[in-house]
Amino acid sequence: MAVEESEPVIGELEREENLIAAVRHIVKALGPNKTLTNDAKKILADLGTRLSSMSIPGEKEEGKRGQGREGGDDHDGGGADDDDHDDDDEGLSAIEERFSVIHEKIMRWEEDQSMIWDLGTEEASEYLNAANEARRLIEKLESLHLKKEDQEYEFMQRAYSVLQTAMARLEEEFSNLLVQNRQPFEPEYVSFRSCEEDAVDENSIISIGDESIEESLQRDSVSRAAEEHIIDLVHPAVIPDLRCIANLLFASNYCQECSNAYIIVRRDALDECLFILEMERLSIEDVLKMEWGILNSKIKRWIWAVKIFVRVYLASEKWLSDQIFGEGEPVSLACFVDASKASILQLLNFGEAMSIGPHQPEKLFRVLDMYEVLQDLMPDIDALYSDEVGSSVKIECHEVLKRLGDCVRATFFEFENAIATNVSSTPFVGGGIHPLTKYVMNYLRTLTDYSDILNLLLKDQEKGESISLSPDMSPEDSRSQGSPCRVSSMAIHFQSIASILESNLEEKSKLYKEVSLQHLFLMNNLHYMAEKVKGSELRLIFEDEWIRKRNWKFQQHAMKYERASWSSILFLLKDEGIVVPGTNSVSKSLLKERLRSFYLGFEDVYRIQTAWLIPDFQLREDLRISISLKVIQAYRTFVGRHNSYISDKIIKYSADDLENYLLDFFEGSQKWLQNPHRR
């Protein structure tokens, strides 16, 4: 059969691959089933009959030859019409003619720099057929075990040269098809809010605690469903052509050349993807030198980008490799790994840099975000790099995840240490809620968003260590909750941090000269701690018993404040010392002196404590009411009891006046009582 009459190789390859794919699908569909319906049995029986009537070309030829030897009818020509052109009987002239046709079809394109596949399918198919014919001719000549002096040997050497030329051209066409048909990667299905708006003020410890750790890309916004992951990185129309070229290159033992061409093109495409995702190539030194505001934005960008890169782009890259080289084939896995390795390691390099940087408390939330997203992606990464050839990438991913976990633990304990070592040289003005209290409680509240991760990482830290119980958790408490090991790792560490904070606040309270202000300060801060726990997810960690103890403590400090501030003034409203001995009468002069001292005392307390602050409205109102019930009521009773001895000139303030003046207390704005009956 002449070369022109042979069936195009591109059609052969496509049909064979479609057949193999269909058979694989049938096998997969059958699965472990041991029973079939009648319809299924009939279809499979028909398929078996069809297959039994078909034969492998070599077997058919051998059968015909056997029939000839046995004297059978040889009307078919003994297999002379087989696809190998009856090469057993092919003479030198036929080989020369065959080679001449191949040479002409291959070499004429060396003078034309146009890309063959750009000119249409007819030219591409003709070139593939010619290259395949060169390969088959070489295989035939090699099977003859020629010697150098044999005439056919020269044709074999020339065929080698022509095949090499064809392979080089096909490699070039392969690369060009991959490049020219690359699909634009624009992740329009996800959005990323400008990171610059969310930069944290590194000079404000409160802003860190109060910051909303809200990600612009939710954890599950990139679906895990496989069909939603895959996008076309190369136009689907050229996949069959790429597959045919690759098959021919591999059949001709140009495996490495084909693989290298693919890897170079796809590696550049992956670099371009990272560029589109705005992932810079940063060294560890670059990351460590970066200001926190800029670094914070880059971390958010990394968290957003790594999800898309792994679940969408790498998944699609793996699918593309499988489409061209065959699903699960070693060469497909190797090409995917070699093409993607540099890019995924570039992303991991940023994670490693974050893990070895200084363990500053304000960075903990971002490191937790990075750990969380990488942990969530590990099943995807393990699946993508499941073979031994990708084990180095998988190992590196797990190692970076471990380092980020170590960084989380180290940063958490640095946060705990920072609280313990926070020292003040001057008292906090007004006795309100100290910034450290706000920072710590808001910090802990935000950490509850990472409960699962923190429990896991802190539990790992506790292995082999002796963890002391919080002062608020006695052995009896732990037994009442079950065994101590049932208490979550977060509960143990969070209560420990709260105890450290309380001890620090005790020390800070001693900076106040007034004992009453010491108690007011502790009342404010303990109340804030209790309310913060009660009104958030922290309640599930600290539990109600902890809240009850904090409530009891701040109420004790409120009582101690009242005693320290008002006991001496209340003593002035007692009858002791103003009744004339031996009589029931009251000394008017002593009564007058008592009232004058009371007014001076109240004015002094007013001047001082209007500058003090109770930020919580309800707590402020409750304390004012308590003072009114004790002080104003005592004043009202005292004046009423001795009304007959007191003239209007002696009364400087009525009980209602004093009641109104109490409304100025604890507002953080100092005032003086200068004009009676006026506010």
Side-chain angles (χ1 to χ4, degrees), residues 540-589:
L540 301 175
I541 298 171
F542 282 87
E543 299 189 343
D544 291 344
E545 181 60 26
W546 186 93
I547 298 172
R548 282 194 292 270
K549 289 185 177 181
R550 295 291 106 32
N551 286 338
W552 180 83
K553 282 187 175 182
F554 87 72
Q555 288 167 3
Q556 289 296 306
H557 285 295
M559 292 171 56
K560 290 177 180 178
Y561 151 80
E562 290 180 352
R563 282 199 294 267
S565 295
W566 299 101
S567 58
S568 59
I569 294 176
L570 284 172
F571 179 77
L572 296 172
L573 300 178
K574 293 183 178 181
D575 290 345
E576 297 175 16
I578 62 172
V579 177
V580 178
T583 68
N584 290 326
S585 61
V586 175
S587 170
K588 290 185 178 181
S589 60

Short mmCIF file of all heavy atoms in Angstrom, two decimals, residues 540-589:
data_model
loop_
_atom_site.label_atom_id
_atom_site.label_comp_id
_atom_site.label_asym_id
_atom_site.label_seq_id
_atom_site.Cartn_x
_atom_site.Cartn_y
_atom_site.Cartn_z
N LEU A 540 -17.95 30.14 76.51
CA LEU A 540 -17.85 28.69 76.35
C LEU A 540 -16.50 28.16 76.83
O LEU A 540 -16.37 26.98 77.17
CB LEU A 540 -18.04 28.31 74.88
CG LEU A 540 -19.38 28.72 74.26
CD1 LEU A 540 -19.40 28.39 72.78
CD2 LEU A 540 -20.54 28.03 74.98
N ILE A 541 -15.50 29.03 76.85
CA ILE A 541 -14.15 28.63 77.25
C ILE A 541 -13.95 28.84 78.75
O ILE A 541 -13.45 27.96 79.46
CB ILE A 541 -13.11 29.41 76.44
CG1 ILE A 541 -13.26 29.07 74.95
CG2 ILE A 541 -11.69 29.11 76.91
CD1 ILE A 541 -12.43 29.93 74.03
N PHE A 542 -14.34 30.01 79.26
CA PHE A 542 -14.13 30.32 80.68
C PHE A 542 -15.19 29.67 81.57
O PHE A 542 -14.92 29.36 82.72
CB PHE A 542 -14.14 31.83 80.88
CG PHE A 542 -12.86 32.51 80.48
CD1 PHE A 542 -12.65 32.92 79.18
CD2 PHE A 542 -11.85 32.72 81.40
CE1 PHE A 542 -11.47 33.54 78.80
CE2 PHE A 542 -10.67 33.34 81.04
CZ PHE A 542 -10.47 33.75 79.73
N GLU A 543 -16.40 29.56 81.04
CA GLU A 543 -17.54 28.97 81.74
C GLU A 543 -18.10 29.89 82.83
O GLU A 543 -17.45 30.84 83.27
CB GLU A 543 -17.20 27.58 82.30
CG GLU A 543 -16.80 26.59 81.19
CD GLU A 543 -16.66 25.18 81.70
OE1 GLU A 543 -16.54 24.98 82.92
OE2 GLU A 543 -16.67 24.26 80.86
N ASP A 544 -19.31 29.58 83.29
CA ASP A 544 -20.06 30.48 84.17
C ASP A 544 -19.42 30.64 85.54
O ASP A 544 -19.54 31.71 86.17
CB ASP A 544 -21.49 29.97 84.34
CG ASP A 544 -22.29 30.09 83.05
OD1 ASP A 544 -21.85 30.83 82.15
OD2 ASP A 544 -23.34 29.43 82.94
N GLU A 545 -18.75 29.62 86.05
CA GLU A 545 -18.14 29.72 87.38
C GLU A 545 -17.08 30.81 87.41
O GLU A 545 -16.97 31.57 88.37
CB GLU A 545 -17.53 28.37 87.78
CG GLU A 545 -16.87 28.34 89.15
CD GLU A 545 -17.84 28.68 90.27
OE1 GLU A 545 -19.06 28.46 90.10
OE2 GLU A 545 -17.37 29.17 91.33
N TRP A 546 -16.32 30.92 86.35
CA TRP A 546 -15.29 31.97 86.26
C TRP A 546 -15.96 33.34 86.27
O TRP A 546 -15.49 34.26 86.94
CB TRP A 546 -14.48 31.78 84.98
CG TRP A 546 -13.29 32.72 84.86
CD1 TRP A 546 -12.02 32.47 85.25
CD2 TRP A 546 -13.32 34.04 84.32
NE1 TRP A 546 -11.23 33.57 84.99
CE2 TRP A 546 -12.01 34.56 84.41
CE3 TRP A 546 -14.30 34.85 83.77
CZ2 TRP A 546 -11.65 35.83 83.98
CZ3 TRP A 546 -13.98 36.14 83.34
CH2 TRP A 546 -12.66 36.61 83.44
N ILE A 547 -17.05 33.48 85.53
CA ILE A 547 -17.77 34.76 85.48
C ILE A 547 -18.30 35.12 86.85
O ILE A 547 -18.20 36.28 87.30
CB ILE A 547 -18.92 34.69 84.45
CG1 ILE A 547 -18.36 34.44 83.05
CG2 ILE A 547 -19.73 35.98 84.48
CD1 ILE A 547 -19.42 34.17 82.00
N ARG A 548 -18.87 34.15 87.57
CA ARG A 548 -19.42 34.41 88.91
C ARG A 548 -18.32 34.91 89.86
O ARG A 548 -18.55 35.83 90.65
CB ARG A 548 -20.07 33.15 89.47
CG ARG A 548 -21.46 32.86 88.90
CD ARG A 548 -22.20 31.82 89.71
NE ARG A 548 -21.57 30.50 89.57
CZ ARG A 548 -21.91 29.63 88.63
NH1 ARG A 548 -22.84 29.93 87.74
NH2 ARG A 548 -21.31 28.44 88.57
N LYS A 549 -17.17 34.32 89.77
CA LYS A 549 -16.07 34.74 90.65
C LYS A 549 -15.61 36.15 90.32
O LYS A 549 -15.25 36.92 91.22
CB LYS A 549 -14.91 33.75 90.55
CG LYS A 549 -15.21 32.41 91.20
CD LYS A 549 -14.00 31.49 91.19
CE LYS A 549 -14.30 30.18 91.91
NZ LYS A 549 -13.15 29.26 91.95
N ARG A 550 -15.58 36.50 89.01
CA ARG A 550 -15.18 37.87 88.64
C ARG A 550 -16.24 38.86 89.13
O ARG A 550 -15.90 39.94 89.59
CB ARG A 550 -15.02 37.99 87.12
CG ARG A 550 -13.91 37.14 86.52
CD ARG A 550 -12.54 37.55 86.84
NE ARG A 550 -11.74 36.82 87.75
CZ ARG A 550 -11.71 35.53 88.03
NH1 ARG A 550 -12.57 34.71 87.53
NH2 ARG A 550 -10.83 35.04 88.86
N ASN A 551 -17.53 38.50 89.02
CA ASN A 551 -18.60 39.38 89.49
C ASN A 551 -18.46 39.61 91.00
O ASN A 551 -18.62 40.74 91.48
CB ASN A 551 -19.96 38.77 89.17
CG ASN A 551 -20.31 38.87 87.69
OD1 ASN A 551 -19.76 39.71 86.97
ND2 ASN A 551 -21.21 38.02 87.24
N TRP A 552 -18.19 38.54 91.71
CA TRP A 552 -18.03 38.67 93.16
C TRP A 552 -16.84 39.56 93.49
O TRP A 552 -16.91 40.42 94.39
CB TRP A 552 -17.84 37.28 93.77
CG TRP A 552 -17.66 37.31 95.26
CD1 TRP A 552 -18.64 37.36 96.21
CD2 TRP A 552 -16.41 37.31 95.97
NE1 TRP A 552 -18.09 37.38 97.47
CE2 TRP A 552 -16.72 37.35 97.35
CE3 TRP A 552 -15.08 37.27 95.57
CZ2 TRP A 552 -15.73 37.37 98.34
CZ3 TRP A 552 -14.09 37.29 96.55
CH2 TRP A 552 -14.42 37.33 97.91
N LYS A 553 -15.76 39.42 92.74
CA LYS A 553 -14.55 40.21 93.00
C LYS A 553 -14.79 41.70 92.75
O LYS A 553 -14.40 42.54 93.57
CB LYS A 553 -13.40 39.72 92.12
CG LYS A 553 -12.73 38.45 92.62
CD LYS A 553 -11.50 38.14 91.77
CE LYS A 553 -10.74 36.93 92.32
NZ LYS A 553 -9.51 36.65 91.54
N PHE A 554 -15.40 42.03 91.61
CA PHE A 554 -15.56 43.47 91.34
C PHE A 554 -16.58 44.08 92.31
O PHE A 554 -16.48 45.26 92.67
CB PHE A 554 -15.90 43.73 89.87
CG PHE A 554 -17.34 43.67 89.46
CD1 PHE A 554 -18.24 44.66 89.85
CD2 PHE A 554 -17.81 42.64 88.66
CE1 PHE A 554 -19.57 44.62 89.46
CE2 PHE A 554 -19.14 42.59 88.27
CZ PHE A 554 -20.02 43.58 88.67
N GLN A 555 -17.56 43.31 92.77
CA GLN A 555 -18.50 43.83 93.77
C GLN A 555 -17.80 44.07 95.10
O GLN A 555 -18.12 45.04 95.81
CB GLN A 555 -19.67 42.85 93.93
CG GLN A 555 -20.62 42.83 92.73
CD GLN A 555 -21.57 41.65 92.75
OE1 GLN A 555 -21.56 40.85 93.68
NE2 GLN A 555 -22.39 41.52 91.71
N GLN A 556 -16.86 43.20 95.43
CA GLN A 556 -16.07 43.41 96.65
C GLN A 556 -15.27 44.70 96.56
O GLN A 556 -15.17 45.46 97.53
CB GLN A 556 -15.12 42.23 96.87
CG GLN A 556 -15.81 40.94 97.28
CD GLN A 556 -16.48 41.08 98.64
OE1 GLN A 556 -15.84 41.46 99.62
NE2 GLN A 556 -17.77 40.78 98.69
N HIS A 557 -14.70 44.95 95.40
CA HIS A 557 -13.93 46.20 95.22
C HIS A 557 -14.85 47.41 95.26
O HIS A 557 -14.44 48.48 95.75
CB HIS A 557 -13.15 46.16 93.91
CG HIS A 557 -11.94 45.27 93.97
ND1 HIS A 557 -10.85 45.54 94.79
CD2 HIS A 557 -11.64 44.11 93.32
CE1 HIS A 557 -9.93 44.60 94.64
NE2 HIS A 557 -10.39 43.71 93.76
N ALA A 558 -16.08 47.29 94.77
CA ALA A 558 -17.04 48.40 94.85
C ALA A 558 -17.35 48.72 96.31
O ALA A 558 -17.41 49.90 96.70
CB ALA A 558 -18.31 48.03 94.09
N MET A 559 -17.54 47.68 97.13
CA MET A 559 -17.81 47.89 98.56
C MET A 559 -16.61 48.53 99.25
O MET A 559 -16.76 49.45 100.07
CB MET A 559 -18.15 46.55 99.22
CG MET A 559 -19.48 45.96 98.77
SD MET A 559 -19.72 44.27 99.38
CE MET A 559 -19.53 44.51 101.13
N LYS A 560 -15.42 48.07 98.90
CA LYS A 560 -14.21 48.63 99.51
C LYS A 560 -14.00 50.08 99.09
O LYS A 560 -13.50 50.90 99.87
CB LYS A 560 -13.00 47.78 99.14
CG LYS A 560 -13.01 46.41 99.79
CD LYS A 560 -11.83 45.56 99.34
CE LYS A 560 -11.86 44.18 100.01
NZ LYS A 560 -10.74 43.32 99.56
N TYR A 561 -14.37 50.38 97.84
CA TYR A 561 -14.30 51.78 97.39
C TYR A 561 -15.21 52.65 98.25
O TYR A 561 -14.83 53.74 98.69
CB TYR A 561 -14.72 51.90 95.91
CG TYR A 561 -15.34 53.24 95.60
CD1 TYR A 561 -14.54 54.36 95.39
CD2 TYR A 561 -16.73 53.40 95.58
CE1 TYR A 561 -15.12 55.61 95.16
CE2 TYR A 561 -17.31 54.63 95.34
CZ TYR A 561 -16.50 55.73 95.14
OH TYR A 561 -17.06 56.97 94.93
N GLU A 562 -16.44 52.20 98.47
CA GLU A 562 -17.40 52.98 99.25
C GLU A 562 -16.90 53.22 100.67
O GLU A 562 -17.01 54.33 101.20
CB GLU A 562 -18.76 52.28 99.26
CG GLU A 562 -19.47 52.31 97.92
CD GLU A 562 -20.82 51.60 97.97
OE1 GLU A 562 -21.12 50.97 99.02
OE2 GLU A 562 -21.56 51.68 96.99
N ARG A 563 -16.36 52.16 101.25
CA ARG A 563 -15.84 52.32 102.62
C ARG A 563 -14.70 53.32 102.66
O ARG A 563 -14.64 54.18 103.54
CB ARG A 563 -15.40 50.98 103.18
CG ARG A 563 -16.54 50.10 103.65
CD ARG A 563 -16.06 49.02 104.60
NE ARG A 563 -15.17 48.07 103.92
CZ ARG A 563 -15.58 46.94 103.37
NH1 ARG A 563 -16.88 46.63 103.38
NH2 ARG A 563 -14.73 46.12 102.79
N ALA A 564 -13.77 53.19 101.69
CA ALA A 564 -12.60 54.08 101.69
C ALA A 564 -13.00 55.52 101.40
O ALA A 564 -12.39 56.46 101.94
CB ALA A 564 -11.59 53.59 100.65
N SER A 565 -14.01 55.73 100.56
CA SER A 565 -14.39 57.09 100.16
C SER A 565 -15.35 57.76 101.14
O SER A 565 -15.25 58.98 101.38
CB SER A 565 -15.05 57.08 98.77
OG SER A 565 -14.14 56.69 97.78
N TRP A 566 -16.26 57.01 101.72
CA TRP A 566 -17.40 57.61 102.40
C TRP A 566 -17.52 57.28 103.89
O TRP A 566 -18.34 57.90 104.58
CB TRP A 566 -18.69 57.20 101.70
CG TRP A 566 -18.76 57.64 100.28
CD1 TRP A 566 -18.53 56.88 99.19
CD2 TRP A 566 -19.05 58.96 99.80
NE1 TRP A 566 -18.67 57.62 98.04
CE2 TRP A 566 -18.99 58.92 98.39
CE3 TRP A 566 -19.36 60.19 100.43
CZ2 TRP A 566 -19.22 60.03 97.59
CZ3 TRP A 566 -19.60 61.30 99.63
CH2 TRP A 566 -19.51 61.23 98.23
N SER A 567 -16.75 56.35 104.40
CA SER A 567 -16.94 55.97 105.81
C SER A 567 -16.67 57.14 106.76
O SER A 567 -17.40 57.35 107.74
CB SER A 567 -16.03 54.79 106.16
OG SER A 567 -14.67 55.11 105.92
N SER A 568 -15.63 57.93 106.49
CA SER A 568 -15.31 59.06 107.37
C SER A 568 -16.39 60.13 107.28
O SER A 568 -16.71 60.81 108.27
CB SER A 568 -13.95 59.65 107.03
OG SER A 568 -13.92 60.10 105.67
N ILE A 569 -16.96 60.31 106.08
CA ILE A 569 -18.02 61.31 105.89
C ILE A 569 -19.31 60.83 106.55
O ILE A 569 -20.04 61.62 107.18
CB ILE A 569 -18.22 61.59 104.39
CG1 ILE A 569 -16.96 62.25 103.82
CG2 ILE A 569 -19.45 62.46 104.13
CD1 ILE A 569 -17.00 62.49 102.33
N LEU A 570 -19.59 59.55 106.41
CA LEU A 570 -20.79 59.01 107.04
C LEU A 570 -20.72 59.09 108.57
O LEU A 570 -21.75 59.25 109.25
CB LEU A 570 -21.00 57.56 106.60
CG LEU A 570 -21.55 57.35 105.18
CD1 LEU A 570 -21.50 55.87 104.81
CD2 LEU A 570 -22.98 57.88 105.08
N PHE A 571 -19.50 58.99 109.11
CA PHE A 571 -19.35 59.09 110.56
C PHE A 571 -19.83 60.45 111.07
O PHE A 571 -20.34 60.58 112.19
CB PHE A 571 -17.89 58.87 110.95
CG PHE A 571 -17.64 58.98 112.42
CD1 PHE A 571 -17.98 57.94 113.28
CD2 PHE A 571 -17.10 60.14 112.96
CE1 PHE A 571 -17.76 58.06 114.64
CE2 PHE A 571 -16.89 60.26 114.32
CZ PHE A 571 -17.22 59.20 115.17
N LEU A 572 -19.67 61.49 110.22
CA LEU A 572 -20.09 62.84 110.62
C LEU A 572 -21.60 62.96 110.76
O LEU A 572 -22.09 63.91 111.37
CB LEU A 572 -19.59 63.86 109.59
CG LEU A 572 -18.07 63.99 109.46
CD1 LEU A 572 -17.71 64.88 108.27
CD2 LEU A 572 -17.47 64.55 110.75
N LEU A 573 -22.32 61.98 110.19
CA LEU A 573 -23.79 62.04 110.24
C LEU A 573 -24.35 61.16 111.35
O LEU A 573 -25.52 60.82 111.35
CB LEU A 573 -24.36 61.61 108.88
CG LEU A 573 -23.94 62.47 107.68
CD1 LEU A 573 -24.53 61.92 106.39
CD2 LEU A 573 -24.38 63.93 107.89
N LYS A 574 -23.49 60.82 112.32
CA LYS A 574 -23.95 60.07 113.48
C LYS A 574 -24.09 61.02 114.68
O LYS A 574 -23.43 62.06 114.75
CB LYS A 574 -22.96 58.96 113.80
CG LYS A 574 -22.92 57.87 112.74
CD LYS A 574 -21.98 56.75 113.12
CE LYS A 574 -22.00 55.65 112.06
NZ LYS A 574 -21.10 54.53 112.43
N ASP A 575 -24.92 60.63 115.65
CA ASP A 575 -25.19 61.50 116.81
C ASP A 575 -24.07 61.46 117.84
O ASP A 575 -24.05 62.30 118.76
CB ASP A 575 -26.51 61.07 117.48
CG ASP A 575 -27.70 61.42 116.60
OD1 ASP A 575 -27.52 62.21 115.65
OD2 ASP A 575 -28.79 60.88 116.85
N GLU A 576 -23.19 60.53 117.71
CA GLU A 576 -22.11 60.42 118.69
C GLU A 576 -21.28 61.69 118.71
O GLU A 576 -20.80 62.16 117.68
CB GLU A 576 -21.21 59.22 118.34
CG GLU A 576 -21.92 57.89 118.40
CD GLU A 576 -21.02 56.75 117.94
OE1 GLU A 576 -19.80 56.96 117.87
OE2 GLU A 576 -21.54 55.66 117.63
N GLY A 577 -21.14 62.26 119.91
CA GLY A 577 -20.29 63.43 120.09
C GLY A 577 -20.99 64.75 119.99
O GLY A 577 -20.38 65.80 120.26
N ILE A 578 -22.29 64.77 119.60
CA ILE A 578 -22.98 66.07 119.50
C ILE A 578 -24.08 66.20 120.55
O ILE A 578 -24.67 67.27 120.71
CB ILE A 578 -23.59 66.27 118.10
CG1 ILE A 578 -24.65 65.19 117.79
CG2 ILE A 578 -22.52 66.28 117.01
CD1 ILE A 578 -25.41 65.48 116.50
N VAL A 579 -24.37 65.11 121.28
CA VAL A 579 -25.39 65.17 122.35
C VAL A 579 -24.70 65.62 123.64
O VAL A 579 -23.64 65.10 124.02
CB VAL A 579 -26.06 63.80 122.56
CG1 VAL A 579 -27.06 63.87 123.71
CG2 VAL A 579 -26.74 63.35 121.26
N VAL A 580 -25.33 66.64 124.32
CA VAL A 580 -24.77 67.17 125.57
C VAL A 580 -24.84 66.08 126.64
O VAL A 580 -25.89 65.47 126.83
CB VAL A 580 -25.54 68.41 126.04
CG1 VAL A 580 -24.98 68.92 127.38
CG2 VAL A 580 -25.51 69.48 124.97
N PRO A 581 -23.72 65.78 127.29
CA PRO A 581 -23.69 64.73 128.33
C PRO A 581 -24.74 64.98 129.41
O PRO A 581 -24.92 66.10 129.88
CB PRO A 581 -22.27 64.82 128.89
CG PRO A 581 -21.46 65.43 127.78
CD PRO A 581 -22.38 66.40 127.10
N GLY A 582 -25.44 63.95 129.82
CA GLY A 582 -26.44 64.01 130.88
C GLY A 582 -27.78 64.53 130.42
O GLY A 582 -28.70 64.64 131.22
N THR A 583 -27.88 64.91 129.13
CA THR A 583 -29.16 65.41 128.62
C THR A 583 -29.45 64.72 127.29
O THR A 583 -28.62 64.03 126.72
CB THR A 583 -29.13 66.93 128.39
OG1 THR A 583 -28.23 67.21 127.30
CG2 THR A 583 -28.64 67.66 129.63
N ASN A 584 -30.65 64.94 126.78
CA ASN A 584 -31.02 64.44 125.45
C ASN A 584 -30.92 65.53 124.39
O ASN A 584 -31.30 65.33 123.25
CB ASN A 584 -32.45 63.90 125.46
CG ASN A 584 -32.55 62.61 126.27
OD1 ASN A 584 -31.61 61.82 126.27
ND2 ASN A 584 -33.68 62.42 126.94
N SER A 585 -30.45 66.68 124.81
CA SER A 585 -30.36 67.81 123.88
C SER A 585 -29.06 67.73 123.07
O SER A 585 -28.07 67.12 123.48
CB SER A 585 -30.43 69.14 124.64
OG SER A 585 -29.34 69.23 125.56
N VAL A 586 -29.10 68.41 121.92
CA VAL A 586 -27.95 68.41 120.99
C VAL A 586 -27.26 69.76 121.07
O VAL A 586 -27.90 70.81 121.13
CB VAL A 586 -28.43 68.16 119.55
CG1 VAL A 586 -27.29 68.30 118.56
CG2 VAL A 586 -29.07 66.79 119.44
N SER A 587 -25.95 69.73 121.02
CA SER A 587 -25.18 70.97 121.02
C SER A 587 -25.27 71.58 119.62
O SER A 587 -24.83 70.98 118.64
CB SER A 587 -23.71 70.68 121.37
OG SER A 587 -22.93 71.83 121.14
N LYS A 588 -25.85 72.78 119.55
CA LYS A 588 -26.02 73.42 118.25
C LYS A 588 -24.69 73.74 117.60
O LYS A 588 -24.54 73.61 116.38
CB LYS A 588 -26.84 74.71 118.42
CG LYS A 588 -28.31 74.46 118.76
CD LYS A 588 -29.08 75.77 118.79
CE LYS A 588 -30.56 75.52 119.09
NZ LYS A 588 -31.31 76.80 119.11
N SER A 589 -23.72 74.11 118.40
CA SER A 589 -22.41 74.44 117.83
C SER A 589 -21.73 73.20 117.26
O SER A 589 -21.13 73.24 116.18
CB SER A 589 -21.53 75.09 118.89
OG SER A 589 -21.32 74.19 119.99
#
